[in-house]
Amino acid sequence: MIQVNPNLRTAFVAMMSVALLLLSLPAYAQSAGRSVSKPALSPGFRFIENSGEELFANVCRGCHMPDGKGATGAGTYPSLAGNSNLESSGYPVGIVVNGQRAMPPFGAVMDDDQVAAVVNYVRTHFGNGYRDAVTAEDVRAVRR
């Protein structure tokens, strides 16, 4: 068995402890000034667009494409064109408000009227003919 000098062992343990402490300081400094319960986005951040067309163009089009047919690449972005999942108005409202898989939740950055507007736009464009309009009250019910 190898004999290790007790002073060498103590020095090694002390050196490793200091190294781990120094490595953890940046993580502590980043988390020390911020509460875990604070939201990631500023509470004042909101989209300014109000029409469904403007919201789709500035928020949704980047992933779902201008023609609403979605895309596959760095991720899979589902097609909204001719999408039978949009028939039940509650489904797209829930997805926009709460998000799903790679789709982020937009409920914190869109008010009820904006969510209703973009959902109505998608449900009446891209080959979708769902004419039963979503209201702000419908969105409010999903948020509860």
Side-chain angles (χ1 to χ4, degrees), residues 1-107:
M1 182 172 242
I2 299 175
Q3 293 289 330
V4 178
N5 183 335
N7 291 335
L8 183 61
R9 181 180 302 200
T10 303
F12 177 77
V13 169
M15 182 181 72
M16 292 304 292
S17 297
V18 169
L20 289 173
L21 175 66
L22 290 174
L23 287 173
S24 67
L25 283 177
Y28 176 77
Q30 287 178 349
S31 66
R34 184 171 26 150
S35 170
V36 175
S37 64
K38 285 188 178 180
L41 297 175
S42 165
F45 178 78
R46 298 296 243 183
F47 288 110
I48 60 170
E49 298 85 351
N50 288 311
S51 76
E53 183 175 14
E54 290 174 319
L55 286 160
F56 182 84
N58 295 330
V59 180
C60 312
R61 180 175 62 186
C63 295
H64 294 286
M65 300 296 115
D67 59 4
K69 291 185 178 176
T72 301
T76 300
Y77 307 97
S79 174
L80 302 173
N83 188 330
S84 62
N85 287 332
L86 302 176
E87 182 175 1
S88 170
S89 62
Y91 176 78
V93 169
I95 299 297
V96 172
V97 169
N98 301 311
Q100 181 178 1
R101 293 188 210 106
M103 166 108 173
F106 288 105

Side-chain angles (χ1 to χ4, degrees), residues 46-47 50 106-116 139 143:
R46 298 296 243 183
F47 288 110
N50 288 311
F106 288 105
V109 292
M110 285 187 192
D111 64 28
D112 297 342
D113 290 319
Q114 289 171 311
V115 172
V139 177
R143 289 185 191 273

